[in-house]
Short mmCIF file of all heavy atoms in Angstrom, two decimals:
data_model
loop_
_atom_site.label_atom_id
_atom_site.label_comp_id
_atom_site.label_asym_id
_atom_site.label_seq_id
_atom_site.Cartn_x
_atom_site.Cartn_y
_atom_site.Cartn_z
N LEU N 57 1.59 16.72 -1.90
CA LEU N 57 0.53 17.70 -1.63
C LEU N 57 -0.57 17.10 -0.77
O LEU N 57 -1.08 17.73 0.16
CB LEU N 57 -0.05 18.21 -2.95
CG LEU N 57 0.85 19.18 -3.72
CD1 LEU N 57 0.28 19.44 -5.09
CD2 LEU N 57 0.98 20.49 -2.95
N ILE N 58 -0.95 15.87 -1.09
CA ILE N 58 -2.04 15.25 -0.34
C ILE N 58 -1.66 15.09 1.13
O ILE N 58 -2.43 15.42 2.03
CB ILE N 58 -2.41 13.88 -0.97
CG1 ILE N 58 -3.05 14.10 -2.33
CG2 ILE N 58 -3.34 13.11 -0.07
CD1 ILE N 58 -3.20 12.86 -3.16
N PHE N 59 -0.45 14.61 1.36
CA PHE N 59 -0.05 14.44 2.75
C PHE N 59 0.20 15.77 3.44
O PHE N 59 0.01 15.89 4.65
CB PHE N 59 1.16 13.51 2.85
CG PHE N 59 0.76 12.07 2.79
CD1 PHE N 59 1.17 11.26 1.76
CD2 PHE N 59 -0.08 11.55 3.76
CE1 PHE N 59 0.75 9.94 1.70
CE2 PHE N 59 -0.50 10.24 3.70
CZ PHE N 59 -0.08 9.43 2.66
N SER N 60 0.61 16.78 2.67
CA SER N 60 0.74 18.10 3.27
C SER N 60 -0.60 18.57 3.79
O SER N 60 -0.71 19.13 4.87
CB SER N 60 1.24 19.10 2.23
OG SER N 60 2.49 18.73 1.77
N LEU N 61 -1.64 18.33 2.98
CA LEU N 61 -2.97 18.77 3.39
C LEU N 61 -3.41 18.03 4.65
O LEU N 61 -3.94 18.64 5.59
CB LEU N 61 -3.96 18.52 2.25
CG LEU N 61 -5.36 19.08 2.47
CD1 LEU N 61 -5.31 20.59 2.57
CD2 LEU N 61 -6.29 18.67 1.34
N ALA N 62 -3.19 16.73 4.68
CA ALA N 62 -3.57 15.96 5.86
C ALA N 62 -2.78 16.44 7.09
O ALA N 62 -3.34 16.61 8.18
CB ALA N 62 -3.32 14.48 5.62
N ALA N 63 -1.49 16.68 6.88
CA ALA N 63 -0.66 17.15 8.00
C ALA N 63 -1.12 18.54 8.45
O ALA N 63 -1.14 18.84 9.64
CB ALA N 63 0.81 17.19 7.59
N LEU N 64 -1.51 19.35 7.48
CA LEU N 64 -2.00 20.68 7.81
C LEU N 64 -3.22 20.58 8.72
O LEU N 64 -3.35 21.30 9.71
CB LEU N 64 -2.34 21.41 6.51
CG LEU N 64 -2.88 22.82 6.61
CD1 LEU N 64 -1.91 23.69 7.38
CD2 LEU N 64 -3.08 23.38 5.21
N GLY N 65 -4.13 19.66 8.36
CA GLY N 65 -5.31 19.47 9.18
C GLY N 65 -4.94 19.09 10.60
O GLY N 65 -5.44 19.65 11.58
N LEU N 66 -4.01 18.15 10.71
CA LEU N 66 -3.61 17.69 12.04
C LEU N 66 -2.89 18.82 12.78
O LEU N 66 -3.02 18.96 14.00
CB LEU N 66 -2.70 16.47 11.91
CG LEU N 66 -2.28 15.83 13.23
CD1 LEU N 66 -3.50 15.40 14.02
CD2 LEU N 66 -1.38 14.64 12.99
N ASN N 67 -2.15 19.64 12.04
CA ASN N 67 -1.43 20.73 12.66
C ASN N 67 -2.39 21.76 13.26
O ASN N 67 -2.13 22.33 14.32
CB ASN N 67 -0.52 21.40 11.64
CG ASN N 67 0.77 21.89 12.27
OD1 ASN N 67 0.82 22.14 13.47
ND2 ASN N 67 1.81 22.02 11.48
N LEU N 68 -3.51 21.97 12.58
CA LEU N 68 -4.50 22.90 13.14
C LEU N 68 -4.95 22.41 14.50
O LEU N 68 -5.15 23.19 15.44
CB LEU N 68 -5.71 23.02 12.21
CG LEU N 68 -5.47 23.76 10.90
CD1 LEU N 68 -6.73 23.73 10.06
CD2 LEU N 68 -5.04 25.18 11.15
N LEU N 69 -5.12 21.10 14.60
CA LEU N 69 -5.62 20.54 15.85
C LEU N 69 -4.52 20.43 16.90
O LEU N 69 -4.67 20.91 18.02
CB LEU N 69 -6.20 19.15 15.57
CG LEU N 69 -6.80 18.43 16.75
CD1 LEU N 69 -8.06 19.13 17.21
CD2 LEU N 69 -7.12 16.99 16.41
N THR N 70 -3.41 19.82 16.51
CA THR N 70 -2.35 19.55 17.48
C THR N 70 -1.45 20.76 17.68
O THR N 70 -1.12 21.11 18.81
CB THR N 70 -1.52 18.34 17.02
OG1 THR N 70 -2.41 17.26 16.77
CG2 THR N 70 -0.53 17.94 18.07
N GLY N 71 -1.07 21.39 16.59
CA GLY N 71 -0.13 22.50 16.68
C GLY N 71 -0.77 23.78 17.19
O GLY N 71 -0.17 24.51 17.97
N TYR N 72 -1.99 24.04 16.75
CA TYR N 72 -2.62 25.30 17.13
C TYR N 72 -3.49 25.17 18.37
O TYR N 72 -3.52 26.04 19.21
CB TYR N 72 -3.44 25.87 15.96
CG TYR N 72 -2.57 26.52 14.93
CD1 TYR N 72 -2.15 25.82 13.80
CD2 TYR N 72 -2.12 27.83 15.09
CE1 TYR N 72 -1.32 26.41 12.86
CE2 TYR N 72 -1.30 28.42 14.16
CZ TYR N 72 -0.90 27.72 13.05
OH TYR N 72 -0.08 28.30 12.13
N CYS N 73 -4.25 24.05 18.44
CA CYS N 73 -5.18 23.95 19.57
C CYS N 73 -4.64 23.04 20.68
O CYS N 73 -5.24 22.95 21.74
CB CYS N 73 -6.54 23.46 19.08
SG CYS N 73 -7.85 23.68 20.27
N GLY N 74 -3.54 22.35 20.42
CA GLY N 74 -2.92 21.56 21.48
C GLY N 74 -3.62 20.25 21.80
O GLY N 74 -3.37 19.66 22.84
N GLN N 75 -4.50 19.78 20.91
CA GLN N 75 -5.19 18.51 21.17
C GLN N 75 -4.55 17.42 20.31
O GLN N 75 -4.44 17.57 19.10
CB GLN N 75 -6.68 18.62 20.81
CG GLN N 75 -7.37 19.85 21.37
CD GLN N 75 -7.39 19.83 22.89
OE1 GLN N 75 -7.79 18.86 23.50
NE2 GLN N 75 -6.93 20.92 23.49
N LEU N 76 -4.18 16.32 20.95
CA LEU N 76 -3.50 15.26 20.22
C LEU N 76 -4.52 14.36 19.53
O LEU N 76 -5.56 14.05 20.09
CB LEU N 76 -2.69 14.44 21.22
CG LEU N 76 -1.52 13.65 20.66
CD1 LEU N 76 -0.57 14.60 19.96
CD2 LEU N 76 -0.81 12.94 21.80
N SER N 77 -4.23 13.95 18.29
CA SER N 77 -5.11 12.99 17.64
C SER N 77 -4.31 11.86 17.04
O SER N 77 -3.34 12.08 16.33
CB SER N 77 -5.93 13.65 16.54
OG SER N 77 -6.55 12.67 15.75
N LEU N 78 -4.73 10.63 17.33
CA LEU N 78 -4.09 9.46 16.73
C LEU N 78 -5.06 8.79 15.76
O LEU N 78 -4.89 7.63 15.41
CB LEU N 78 -3.69 8.45 17.81
CG LEU N 78 -2.58 8.90 18.73
CD1 LEU N 78 -2.30 7.87 19.80
CD2 LEU N 78 -1.31 9.16 17.93
N GLY N 79 -6.09 9.53 15.36
CA GLY N 79 -7.08 8.91 14.48
C GLY N 79 -7.21 9.60 13.14
O GLY N 79 -8.21 9.42 12.45
N HIS N 80 -6.20 10.37 12.76
CA HIS N 80 -6.39 11.14 11.54
C HIS N 80 -6.39 10.31 10.27
O HIS N 80 -7.02 10.68 9.29
CB HIS N 80 -5.38 12.29 11.47
CG HIS N 80 -6.02 13.59 11.82
ND1 HIS N 80 -6.62 13.80 13.03
CD2 HIS N 80 -6.21 14.71 11.10
CE1 HIS N 80 -7.15 15.01 13.04
NE2 HIS N 80 -6.91 15.58 11.89
#
Side-chain angles (χ1 to χ4, degrees):
Chain N
L57 286 171
I58 291 168
F59 279 116
S60 299
L61 187 64
L64 180 56
L66 184 59
N67 214 336
L68 290 177
L69 182 68
T70 307
Y72 282 96
C73 194
Q75 312 296 309
L76 203 58
S77 167
L78 292 177
H80 257 59

